[in-house]
Amino acid sequence: MVGELTPRAFTIGGVIVDCVVEADGTLHLDQPGGNALHSAAGARLFLDAVGVVGRVPADYPRSVLMLAARGGLDVEGIRVVPGTSALPEWFFHRADGSRTDHLHAASAELAAFGLSKTRLSADQAARWHAHLTSKSDGGGGFAAFRARHPVRPEDVPAPYWAAAGAHIGANAVDQMLACARAARAAGLRVTLDPGFQAARLDAATLAALLDCLDAFLPSEKELAVLRPGLEFRAALADIAGGRRLAVGVKRGASGAVLRLPDGAFVETAAVPTVARDPVGAGDAFCGGFLSALVDGAGWEAALARATVAGAFAVEGTGISHMLAADSGLRDARLNAVQNRRVAP
């Protein structure tokens, strides 16, 4: 049964389990992850009711879903696929800001290595990383699960279609397009982040997607895949073509740039903060962006909210920090971004 409030917005995409190793070796095991949860948490910073649509294996931890629900997300759109399982995805962060991911193993495997579940030394982290890199997950990781069980328009609970907006994260390309078309047909404001599927978007599919969207929001890396060799403003303009949509690029610590439907550009700097775990920051950015469209705010407001959501995302691990964010700090940061001054 859908929660008391019909979601004003919902997100579609991956719902996984993350295990994170910070640059200093601090461990965060079995955290809520995936682009659908992170983008929903980014939207939840500004909206009272946000739904999540995704598919999870039968052994997905119910405690993770409870955490999301307690934080104000409606998880009725998360479908359990019977008879399936998936291993958590591991993320290793480095002091230079780089990371390794797409490694899969149960957190319980740490015990076989005699390792702590709270913190690893540099040598222990290196050994654990080498172990995960050398072994095959046998197709049992969340990446393989998502490929076998993409999220489809029919997974969206009927009441969600009464929402005002939807964000679509990386998913099987044909289903990303199907979801975008369904959301547009329902009269929703629609945003999309191509994520890891950017390289699989041929010209015709990308054009069909763009025709369904209010905003297309790739990362700088993904933009380079879509328009190799072009300076990013030229790349944004080329992607937009003659369409009346916004096209933005997320540039991490360098901020973000948005090309407006009228061809003008708006740029914002990142909020100064200590980045503990950048996983999901780009997705949270998209959720914050969508929240402004749902509220009927302008493009600059959308970019400001997106920037603030990204900052909250990198400060903590998983979605808990965003869901518990202090509204006073949120508003102070939003005002600072909108006034083009340094946020607290």
Side-chain angles (χ1 to χ4, degrees), residues 8-10 47 163-166 189 289-297 305:
R8 297 188 61 209
F10 62 91
L47 300 176
R189 305 299 299 271
F289 193 99
L290 177 66
S291 76
L293 302 189
V294 166
D295 276 341
R305 287 193 188 189

Side-chain angles (χ1 to χ4, degrees), residues 166-284:
H167 172 69
I168 301 167
N171 186 24
V173 170
D174 61 334
Q175 296 307 318
M176 288 168 66
L177 180 55
C179 289
R181 283 173 168 163
R184 178 56 84 207
L188 278 62
R189 305 299 299 271
V190 189
T191 60
L192 185 141
D193 177 352
F196 62 88
Q197 296 289 25
R200 296 183 174 89
L201 293 177
D202 58 49
T205 303
L206 178 58
L209 274 173
L210 294 172
D211 287 341
C212 300
L213 305 179
D214 292 280
F216 182 66
L217 302 169
S219 68
E220 196 166 18
K221 179 179 178 180
E222 293 150 8
L223 185 64
V225 168
L226 293 167
R227 291 295 185 272
L230 286 183
E231 184 271 337
F232 60 83
R233 286 180 179 80
L236 296 177
D238 192 60
I239 287 174
R243 298 176 184 85
R244 295 284 299 178
L245 85 160
V247 184
V249 58
K250 299 167 291 187
R251 306 184 65 215
S254 297
V257 177
L258 184 68
R259 183 187 185 276
L260 306 183
D262 65 4
F265 287 90
V266 179
E267 184 170 357
T268 187
V271 174
T273 189
V274 176
R276 295 182 58 196
D277 177 17
V279 174
D283 302 311

